[in-house]
Amino acid sequence: MSETYVMQIERTGGPDVLQKQSRDPVAPAPGQALVRQEAIGLNFIDTYHRSGLYPVSLPFVPGSEGAGIVEAVGEGVTHLSVGDRVGYLGSGTYATHYTGPAATMLKLPDGISTQTAAAVLLKGLTAWMLLFEIRRAGPGDAALVWAPVGGVGSLLVPWATAMGVRVIAVTSSADKAAKAKALGATDVVMSDGNVGSEVRNLTGGEGVDVSYDSVGKASAAASLDSLKPRGWWISYGNASGAVEPLSPGVLAQKGSLILTRPSLFAFIGTGDGLKRGSAALFGALKTGAIKADIGQTFALSDVADAHRAIESGQTVGATLILP
Ligand code: NDP
């Protein structure tokens, strides 16, 4: 067998704290399955765990999703067999092998490769949560989408567009602006300009119905300034740092706005959320409304470089880590 290892942190800090550690695959306990991973999706949340923004107990193996081939199943697991191709969200996927709860492992439909699954599962379920679960998007909506060509953004923009939403994208460079338009955005504004006033100009002074805001600290004020009365500020990420606390009175002053700070795990961790979300996601891939956009890949042992790339805004689409 080739080398088996994890990339783990013993202290929080910069990308250099990610260190290779030999680790034998863990035999599955009842209800678990052991997977030889073929691809791991990089997610911004991995950097929050590494940096300490989201506290974890140490030592810690980051990584929130993966896909691969089932190598063994524990007692009581009936829906998976050795050799099945699966994708999953889980903790500790920066590893050649992953052992975790079989119940949340999704058998991949024909036509969806393990690389596609690792590129779209967490990010695509996030787009589903934003478009279907928090507030149903549809024709007539105008939406502001931040980081439109990133991992989540490159799925959110075409999916929203396919649902009839007018997407105004906010990004940082001309190249990314061109890509956002190719994904379906009708307009693009640059994040270093006056986003609020440009959005007003583009919407006849009205503002947008919703701001899908993953940037956080740097985008909060602009999101508030871009919404129409009773609009939704869906603040779902912290790429630039955590949003400063604000008084509810600000929401009243800006037009009876609605603020929510969702976490995907509240939408898929209970009931049939994962089943519905994955059905919607695989369906959207099948119809072509969205497609996996793998912008770059890194070897698992070089995952620190992947963190440097995503934290400096250099990635586009999804980033895969390959064991
Ligand atoms: P992205 O691929 O979108 O990468 C981050 C992007 O954010 C950059 O490319 C850049 O895009 C933009 N950005 C703006 N300011 C900064 C900054 N100061 N530093 C770095 N990037 C910046 O990442 P993901 O798709 O993995 O995740 C997007 C966000 O969504 C993250 O904040 C993540 O935590 C969040 N998320 C939240 C979930 C939830 O359940 N709430 C679930 C999944 C993701 P540009 O150049 O276009 O501005």
Side-chain angles (χ1 to χ4, degrees):
M1 191 197 284
S2 50
E3 185 184 15
T4 61
Y5 65 96
V6 300
M7 294 300 292
Q8 98 172 358
I9 61 169
E10 291 184 350
R11 59 190 169 86
T12 55
D16 289 341
V17 300
L18 287 156
Q19 296 290 330
K20 189 171 178 177
Q21 183 84 43
S22 287
R23 181 80 46 90
D24 289 334
V26 177
Q32 291 186 326
L34 163 65
V35 179
R36 176 172 52 79
Q37 300 205 109
E38 293 192 333
I40 300 153
L42 177 74
N43 288 286
F44 220 95
I45 194 172
D46 306 344
T47 71
Y48 307 147
H49 292 143
R50 188 214 72 223
S51 70
L53 179 65
Y54 292 176
V56 292
S57 45
L58 300 169
F60 181 75
V61 179
S64 318
E65 71 182 320
I69 312 290
V70 174
E71 283 208 331
V73 294
E75 202 183 305
V77 175
T78 52
H79 75 294
L80 293 180
S81 311
V82 171
D84 281 348
R85 299 178 318 112
V86 289
Y88 39 84
L89 309 191
S91 180
T93 60
Y94 283 7
T96 55
H97 292 73
Y98 171 76
T99 302
T104 53
M105 291 183 181
L106 302 165
K107 247 187 185 171
L108 300 180
D110 290 344
I112 297 190
S113 68
T114 49
Q115 290 213 357
T116 293
V120 304
L121 258 189
L122 196 152
K123 299 164 193 71
L125 287 168
T126 302
W128 162 79
M129 167 189 83
L130 296 170
L131 295 172
F132 292 86
E133 296 291 294
I134 296 173
R135 169 191 178 279
R136 179 71 184 234
D141 278 346
L144 197 58
V145 177
W146 295 83
V149 304
V152 176
S154 62
L155 298 169
L156 180 58
V157 171
W159 206 346
T161 303
M163 292 170 75
V165 176
R166 175 188 178 189
V167 170
I168 301 175
V170 195
T171 191
S172 60
S173 72
D175 282 354
K176 287 184 174 182
K179 182 159 188 198
K181 284 212 163 171
L183 287 168
T186 52
D187 309 274
V188 182
V189 300
M190 303 311 289
S191 48
D192 60 0
N194 186 333
V195 174
S197 84
E198 290 202 41
V199 169
R200 301 259 161 217
N201 287 340
L202 288 166
T203 54
E206 269 205 322
V208 288
D209 298 274
V210 54
S211 176
Y212 298 112
D213 186 346
S214 61
V215 171
K217 188 172 185 166
S219 54
S223 275
L224 285 167
D225 288 343
S226 300
L227 290 164
K228 61 168 66 157
R230 297 173 58 186
W232 287 67
W233 176 23
I234 305 184
S235 172
Y236 73 98
N238 323 291
S240 65
V243 177
E244 302 288 351
L246 89 165
S247 157
V250 173
L251 301 174
Q253 287 157 19
K254 297 277 181 182
S256 294
L257 303 181
I258 299 157
L259 163 62
T260 181
R261 176 55 175 94
S263 165
L264 176 61
F265 297 95
F267 291 79
I268 58 170
T270 55
D272 64 351
L274 180 62
K275 201 170 157 197
R276 285 186 299 112
S278 55
L281 175 59
F282 292 146
L285 285 165
K286 197 166 179 192
T287 63
I290 58 172
K291 65 182 175 58
D293 180 2
I294 300 168
Q296 49 283 307
T297 62
F298 293 82
L300 176 58
S301 52
D302 294 334
V303 70
D305 289 337
H307 277 220
R308 288 185 193 97
I310 198 167
E311 287 184 296
S312 57
Q314 284 167 19
T315 57
V316 289
T319 304
L320 287 189
I321 311 296
L322 303 177

